[in-house]
């Protein structure tokens, strides 16, 4: 980004972060997830800085982007939740709120590693945000998201093949 | 919005009487409402009231912006960061213009022909009235009855379009033979809406400055999808192959062909010529 773009971007970020966070709230319902949606949206805005800055209404552009990101996150979360429930129903594990993963042998043995499933589950049930998990693992939220995505994909394939 | 935060939204004065939890509940419920200017104003009013309260008496709901900025620079804006792929707002998006018969007899004649050709037995549609092509001077669309649904996108881990089609059990689309040298540069496969396993798949192939984009959307029940394409002011040409109508049109130096089957809505955009595009379509039949 050019210096003028950087200055615009940071000033806009600081002025609007919390307003935008609430714009994600109708879809994500949890403020920490809304915060992640806004951060993701700013990453998009940075990537499309010309489009964003030159838009007649940059705030409106950003609101729509935040909503689309939030909707995307919400749908991904819903898909993960269905996967999790399907996997755990198959594992005959009656209490999905428990953090005990010992009975998930069938999942962890051949499809995904236990720590991968634990991360996937924590993200899916909202007990950890991508930011929290990425800080714990010492990786970026993007890398963390990729790990969860890969786990979900392996589970989906295994369940569709097995089902 | 800052003026509103300072001065409030007179229409929504009643929100000042509500407690914060009730306001948050209203905000949560607004997510299921249709995206309209009225809904936007209503949401802005709730947000402005929530922000006003937090400024007056902080409860920790607001994020420390310095910390958020630091997190953004440290954890999000990293060399491996890949921005999420979502539809972006477009300024002055083209809107369909009202169709005027008297302005273009040729288009009228083409529409009549299209209606004649679009008989359900020939096309295999259950409900053809909801699946005919229509166009204005600058928009071509398949217009279904029902509500427009948004499509969200995200990355895909499939290596080829064929792999994605296999994974989702889509057998009705036959891969065209792309000219030599085209390589897949982007592939996205996502559900078309919540609570559905119907997919939207798009694949972008590139060779130098030339591109071929293939988009496949699985139809929802009752054809609740809507698709529209910008086009120039000439009518699309229609080519019927084995009972399927292919609509060819040109816009912004790109050629497009779009067609429907009973379960798919398919489109190919390309910088190649219309003749090349026709060859792509024909190659699908040679391969099937």
């Amino acid at each position: 980004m050019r210096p003028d773009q950087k200055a615009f971007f940071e000033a806009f970020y600081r002025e609007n972060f919390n307003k935008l966070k609430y714009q994600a709230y109708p879809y994500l319902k949890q403020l920490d997830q809304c915060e992640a949606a806004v951060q993701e949206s700013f990453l998009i805005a940075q990537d499309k800085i010309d489009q964003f800055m030159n838009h007649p209404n940059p705030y409106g552009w950003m609101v729509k982007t935040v909503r689309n990101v939030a909707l995307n996150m919400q749908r991904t979360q819903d898909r993960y939740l269905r996967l999790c429930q399907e996997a755990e129903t198959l594992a005959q594990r009656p209490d999905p709120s428990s953090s005990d993963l010992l009975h998930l042998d069938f999942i962890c043995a051949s499809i995904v590693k236990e720590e991968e499933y634990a991360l996937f589950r924590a993200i899916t049930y909202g007990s950890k945000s991508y930011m929290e998990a990425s800080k714990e693992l010492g990786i970026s939220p993007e890398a963390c998201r990729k790990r969860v995505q890969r786990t979900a994909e392996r589970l989906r394939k295994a369940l569709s093949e097995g089902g | 919005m800052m003026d509103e935060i300072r001065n409030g939204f007179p229409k929504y004065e009643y929100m000042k009487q509500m407690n914060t939890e009730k306001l948050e509940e209203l905000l949560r419920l607004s997510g299921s409402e249709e995206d309209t200017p009225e809904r936007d104003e209503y949401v802005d009013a709730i947000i402005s009231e929530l922000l006003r309260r937090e400024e007056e008496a902080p409860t920790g709901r607001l994020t420390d912006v310095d910390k958020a900025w630091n997190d953004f620079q440290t954890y999000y804006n990293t060399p491996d960061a890949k921005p999420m792929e979502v539809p972006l707002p477009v300024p002055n998006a083209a809107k369909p213009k009202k169709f005027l018969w008297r302005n273009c007899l040729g288009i009228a004649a083409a529409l009549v022909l299209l209606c004649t050709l679009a008989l359900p037995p020939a096309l295999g549609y259950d409900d053809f009235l909801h699946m005919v092509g229509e166009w204005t001077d600058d928009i071509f669309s398949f217009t279904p009855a029902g509500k427009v649904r948004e499509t969200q996108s995200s990355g895909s881990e499939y290596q080829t379009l064929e792999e994605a089609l296999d994974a989702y059990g889509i057998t009705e689309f036959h891969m065209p033979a792309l000219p030599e040298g085209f390589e897949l540069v982007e592939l996205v496969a996502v559900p078309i809406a919540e609570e559905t396993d119907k997919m939207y798949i798009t694949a972008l192939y590139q060779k130098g400055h030339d591109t071929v984009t293939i988009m496949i959307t699985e139809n929802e029940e009752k054809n609740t999808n809507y698709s529209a394409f910008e086009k120039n002011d000439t009518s699309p040409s229609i080519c019927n192959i084995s009972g399927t109508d292919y609509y060819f049109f040109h816009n912004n130096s790109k050629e497009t062909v779009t067609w429907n089957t009973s379960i798919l809505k398919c489109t190919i955009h390309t910088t190649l010529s219309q003749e090349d595009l026709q060859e792509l379509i024909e190659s699908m039949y040679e391969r099937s």
Side-chain angles (χ1 to χ4, degrees), chain A residues 14 18 21 75 141 156, chain B residues 61 63 66 75 152-153 158:
Chain A
R14 290 181 178 279
N18 278 301
K21 187 169 94 167
R75 287 167 186 167
R156 192 190 64 75
Chain B
R61 282 177 168 82
T63 301
D66 286 333
Y75 299 104
Q152 301 295 309
S153 60
Y158 298 108

Side-chain angles (χ1 to χ4, degrees), chain A residues 32-76:
Chain A
D32 60 340
Q33 285 197 36
C34 297
E35 196 171 309
V38 178
Q39 299 280 34
E40 291 286 347
S41 303
F42 272 108
L43 203 55
I44 295 170
Q46 183 179 257
D47 191 50
K48 306 280 179 197
I49 189 70
D50 288 325
Q51 199 185 122
F52 168 50
M53 265 183 81
N54 297 328
H55 194 275
N57 177 7
Y59 180 74
W61 187 96
M62 200 62 187
V63 167
K64 286 203 166 76
T65 302
V66 167
R67 284 184 197 165
N68 287 340
V69 166
L71 276 166
N72 206 8
M73 288 171 66
Q74 182 197 41
R75 287 167 186 167
T76 303

Side-chain angles (χ1 to χ4, degrees), chain B residues 158-219:
Chain B
Y158 298 108
Q159 301 302 308
T160 63
L161 175 58
E162 294 93 320
E163 201 179 305
L165 294 171
D166 279 350
Y168 295 107
I170 298 172
T171 55
E172 222 181 56
F173 182 89
H174 302 290
M175 189 66 193
L178 296 176
E180 206 176 314
F182 273 85
E183 286 183 1
L184 181 68
V185 291
E186 191 176 321
L187 178 61
V188 174
V190 289
I192 59 172
E194 279 180 82
E195 305 299 330
T196 179
D197 56 356
K198 305 292 182 196
M199 298 300 291
Y200 165 74
I201 301 173
T202 178
L204 169 65
Y205 299 85
Q206 197 163 22
K207 179 190 174 188
H209 294 299
D210 282 324
T211 59
V212 175
T213 308
I214 299 176
M215 294 182 283
I216 300 157
T217 309
E218 283 188 282
N219 292 333

